[in-house]
Amino acid sequence: MPSQEVAGETGSRIRSAGPQPQPQPSVTAGPNQRPGTVTAASLSELVGYRAAVAELVAGVTGQAGRDDLPRLERTLTDRITGPDFRAVLGVLPGGAAEAASRLVREIRDYRPNNRGGAGNLAGLVRIYLLSRIDVMWWGHLPGFPTDADLHDSAELVDLDALRRTGLLRFRYRRPAEHPLTRAARTVRRRVRPRSGAPAGRAAPPATGGGPRTTRTRPEVVALLNQLAADLARRRPGPTPPLRVTSLARSLEHQHRLRALGYAAMLPSGHCPGYAMDLEMSWLRRFDAPGMVAALLRERQGWGDVNVIDEGQTWHVCVSPRAANRLRRDFLTALGG
């Protein structure tokens, strides 16, 4: 099937969200808790956790050689089992000790490559530790075991169907599955400027692919539409569309990505369907990535999302405190 970038209509029924109420407790399972137990990770604790991650990553950036691994592993284990990381790692199954053990295994399995945002060990540590916020929020959910389970789930909605009814304000690209289709797309990029390129100059080729599936949670659709509406409202002049490159993933596909060398963490907010990846690098030709980043950071400050800068794409996960409101917004847009 040919690769196709799909643009949603600018449905007027999708409204943008303003400043949010105070945070609600998130649902997670700690080392001595059953799934579904309510534990609180306040906004201030999340701010402190992210600051501790940034400080730790800055401190280990130079420890990238294979000879440095034993010292790096000791440093990481000592730090992340300490009080600065307890608010998030302490409530995960197995606690901070299990989180440290899993990180050590990730480090030992890591091989440098240009896939994903973990270009070095420090990047891997940062992505892993920030992704534990997703796990704190949604780790009690089992995720979709296989691609077929994800496709057949009644909990998810399909972007193609929503686009046809004019309810999407963002774009997505179906990946080119057939080798001939991929080759044809490469040729088209070389001989023809892409939409939105300045006159007389070809735009750089797209660096991101498309979602493997067009199915996702209603909450994700509402968030993406609101981000697109906020971008159009705040940015003067022509507004580039948001483009999503990844949505819900099965555990089967997450393991597939790991085998290919991507920093696809387990557990992941993608596997229960609450995470998405946004293409950021192509927005540079519109001078817009800074605005999108600011919108994402703003919502992270409200406690609505967890954001991980992975270079050309940014990972975004919906929080439990925002999920009910976003679902209501989605149903309102449907006329429900």
Side-chain angles (χ1 to χ4, degrees):
M1 178 179 177
S3 173
Q4 179 182 16
E5 182 171 283
V6 185
E9 303 295 333
T10 55
S12 60
R13 289 177 289 176
I14 303 294
R15 65 182 176 86
S16 177
Q20 304 302 313
Q22 291 302 307
Q24 302 295 321
S26 60
V27 180
T28 186
N32 299 310
Q33 297 166 320
R34 299 185 304 276
T37 300
V38 175
T39 61
S42 69
L43 290 181
S44 62
E45 287 174 326
L46 289 177
V47 169
Y49 177 82
R50 292 186 177 104
V53 170
E55 180 185 359
L56 175 59
V57 169
V60 303
T61 296
Q63 302 178 35
R66 306 306 296 181
D67 293 340
D68 295 324
L69 285 186
R71 179 162 59 93
L72 174 61
E73 292 171 3
R74 289 194 300 270
T75 298
L76 292 173
T77 300
D78 290 344
R79 285 294 307 279
I80 70 177
T81 54
D84 292 344
F85 296 86
R86 189 171 299 149
V88 172
L89 303 185
V91 299
L92 300 183
E98 171 59 25
S101 177
R102 185 182 291 268
L103 176 56
V104 167
R105 292 196 296 272
E106 292 283 353
I107 289 172
R108 291 176 180 175
D109 291 341
Y110 173 77
R111 297 295 180 270
N113 60 66
N114 60 357
R115 293 173 172 173
N120 52 45
L121 280 175
L124 179 74
V125 171
R126 180 178 59 83
I127 292 172
Y128 172 85
L129 290 175
L130 292 178
S131 73
R132 298 308 90 181
I133 297 175
D134 295 12
V135 178
M136 178 186 67
W137 287 341
W138 303 112
H140 62 287
L141 298 180
F144 300 101
T146 68
D147 292 348
D149 293 319
L150 189 153
H151 183 269
D152 295 338
S153 173
E155 300 174 18
L156 305 180
V157 295
D158 187 73
L159 296 187
D160 287 344
L162 294 171
R163 178 182 59 85
R164 289 191 292 269
T165 58
L167 289 174
L168 300 185
R169 300 190 66 153
F170 56 91
R171 292 185 180 181
Y172 54 99
R173 179 188 292 270
R174 287 186 173 279
E177 299 288 350
H178 195 281
L180 291 177
T181 302
R182 290 196 298 269
R185 188 166 117 196
T186 300
V187 171
R188 286 197 301 270
R189 283 204 305 261
R190 289 174 178 171
V191 302
R192 182 178 67 191
R194 293 181 59 221
S195 173
R201 186 178 67 186
T207 52
R212 181 179 177 83
T213 175
T214 57
R215 296 179 62 77
T216 188
R217 295 270 179 185
E219 296 86 343
V220 169
V221 175
L223 174 64
L224 288 169
N225 277 328
Q226 290 175 7
L227 286 170
D230 285 345
L231 179 62
R233 178 169 53 85
R234 297 190 190 186
R235 187 176 186 273
T239 303
L242 289 179
R243 187 164 66 196
V244 62
T245 63
S246 184
L247 293 161
R249 297 177 190 160
S250 67
L251 291 165
E252 177 181 61
H253 185 54
Q254 194 76 350
H255 282 288
R256 191 180 296 131
L257 291 174
R258 289 175 63 83
L260 290 171
Y262 289 94
M265 299 301 171
L266 287 169
S268 167
H270 284 285
C271 296
Y274 286 99
M276 70 219 79
D277 292 343
L278 295 180
E279 175 67 44
M280 296 290 279
S281 59
W282 85 292
L283 291 170
R284 293 192 181 101
R285 72 171 186 263
F286 299 99
D287 194 28
M291 178 62 72
V292 176
L295 291 171
L296 292 172
R297 297 297 190 197
E298 180 179 62
R299 286 184 180 258
Q300 180 168 270
W302 296 343
D304 284 2
V305 297
N306 183 42
V307 178
I308 306 176
D309 178 352
E310 298 185 1
Q312 72 177 32
T313 61
W314 280 32
H315 171 93
V316 184
C317 183
V318 173
S319 75
R321 75 177 291 275
N324 287 340
R325 184 181 68 255
L326 289 169
R327 178 173 284 269
R328 289 194 300 268
D329 291 344
F330 176 83
L331 294 175
T332 298
L334 285 179

